[in-house]
Structures are given as structure tokens and as C-alpha cells.
Amino acid sequence: MVPVLSYLFLKGRCRSCGAKISLQYPAIETLCGVLGVFCVIIYQPTFHALLAFSLLAGLVAVAETDRKTMEIPNGLILYLLVPAAGLAALPDQTGLLSHIIGAFCVSLPLLLLILLIPGSFGGGDVKLMAACGLALGWQLTLVGFFLALITGGAYGGWLLLTRRAGGKSHFAFGPFLALGTGLALLAGQSVLDWYLGFF
């Protein structure tokens, strides 16, 4: 199987039975390819780029799985911990302590919020942010979570305005956490520098 090309050569149908193949597959393959290119551009062809891409590919899987099932499997969290630990171990300006704090600076408040307001978030969201925080360090974790709140809030507002959901409806927040983390990984420092420039 060759990503995207196999879908095109087979004209979107299974070679054996002729069943139609969902567009979801080439779309995700294309997205992962684009993310890989960004990782190489930003981090050069280094081990750092490989770890970043591995994390982003896992986040794509998390987002799609949570969107479909409203659950984030523990297996995906365990997978994310591998590149996250690798990124935390790399020498950078933030230091290992920042990455350790990052694992708790959002996940712990989310856990407390769940205990106070059951159903506000899911346990998978807590574990996801722990893994992502370990990868990013505390500053970029806050940036990623802020971006997730903005995009998730905009989506929730759109659902309400279009009456696709009521005030007590729930939607998967994992895709927005994954999006925020991905943006923070690729451009979070630039966003943070831009924001701090106002002070």
C-alpha cells in the first residue's frame, strides 16, 4: 500500500471485493504527509523532526478516533508518551523541569474540574494533556490549551447557533486539544513571543 497513490490507482475501491474506500483514508494520509513536510522545514531533517512528526501523527489518530467514538483509547496515549518523552529529553531552552511541569499544568486542573463538575471533560482529555504537556513544556502547553479552548468554543458556538446541539449537549474535545497541541508544537513559540510582545 502506497499512501494516497494506492487510493488513486484503485479509483477509491478495494482491489479484492470492489467495495468503496472512504475518502477519510487518503485525506488523513495527505494530512500526515503535509505535517511531515512542516516538521522537516521547522526542525530540519533531524531526530527532533522525527519525534515531532511521530507526535503529530498520533494526535491525528487521537482526533479522528475521539471524533468518531467520543473516546481516546489508552493505547494511543501510551503511543504518544514515547515521542513525548523523546522530545522532553532533547536539550532545549526550556529544560526538563518545564516538560515535567507541562505534564501537570493543564491535566491536573482538568482532573479537578471533572471531580467538581462530572461530565465537563473526559478522562481521555486529562491523559492526553498529560502526554502533550510532557512533549511541549509548560509554556507551550498553556498556548496549546488556549488555542484548543478558542477553536472548541467556536465550534460549540456554531453548533448552538445552527441548532445542531442544545445547551447540555456534549461533543468530542479531543480533536481540539490535538489541534491546539499541534499548532503549539509547530508555531507555539512564535505565538507566545507575539503575545508577550504586548507587555
Side-chain angles (χ1 to χ4, degrees):
M1 297 293 292
V2 181
V4 182
L5 294 180
S6 291
Y7 180 87
L8 296 175
F9 290 151
L10 295 173
K11 298 180 180 179
R13 294 192 175 276
C14 175
R15 179 184 301 170
S16 301
C17 66
K20 188 175 181 180
I21 300 173
S22 172
L23 276 171
Q24 160 195 324
Y25 297 101
I28 290 178
E29 291 168 353
T30 301
L31 174 60
C32 286
V34 171
L35 291 175
V37 171
F38 274 113
C39 287
V40 172
I41 292 174
I42 294 171
Y43 300 108
Q44 304 301 315
T46 60
F47 187 57
H48 194 159
L50 178 61
L51 289 172
F53 173 71
S54 298
L55 185 78
L56 291 172
L59 290 174
V60 171
V62 164
E64 183 62 14
T65 302
D66 195 28
R67 183 187 71 83
K68 283 186 170 183
T69 67
M70 295 283 287
E71 292 183 1
I72 302 175
N74 287 331
L76 285 176
I77 299 297
L78 290 174
Y79 164 81
L80 288 174
L81 285 173
V82 176
L87 288 167
L90 290 176
D92 58 21
Q93 296 178 345
T94 59
L96 180 59
L97 180 59
S98 173
H99 291 272
I100 294 174
I101 296 173
F104 298 99
C105 68
V106 170
S107 61
L108 187 56
L110 284 184
L111 177 59
L112 295 176
L113 189 59
I114 290 174
L115 296 176
L116 293 173
I117 310 174
S120 54
F121 288 94
D125 297 331
V126 174
K127 289 178 279 190
L128 174 62
M129 286 312 300
C132 293
L134 178 63
L136 296 177
W138 72 267
Q139 289 183 316
L140 294 187
T141 299
L142 294 178
V143 171
F145 186 63
F146 179 69
L147 294 173
L149 289 177
I150 291 178
T151 53
Y155 178 70
W158 176 76
L159 290 178
L160 291 174
L161 288 174
T162 57
R163 297 183 179 180
R164 295 172 183 263
K168 295 184 178 181
S169 299
H170 294 273
F171 61 87
F173 196 58
F176 301 100
L177 293 175
L179 175 62
T181 298
L183 291 174
L185 180 67
L186 295 175
Q189 192 59 52
S190 297
V191 173
L192 186 60
D193 292 341
W194 169 79
Y195 175 74
L196 293 177
F198 288 102
F199 300 95

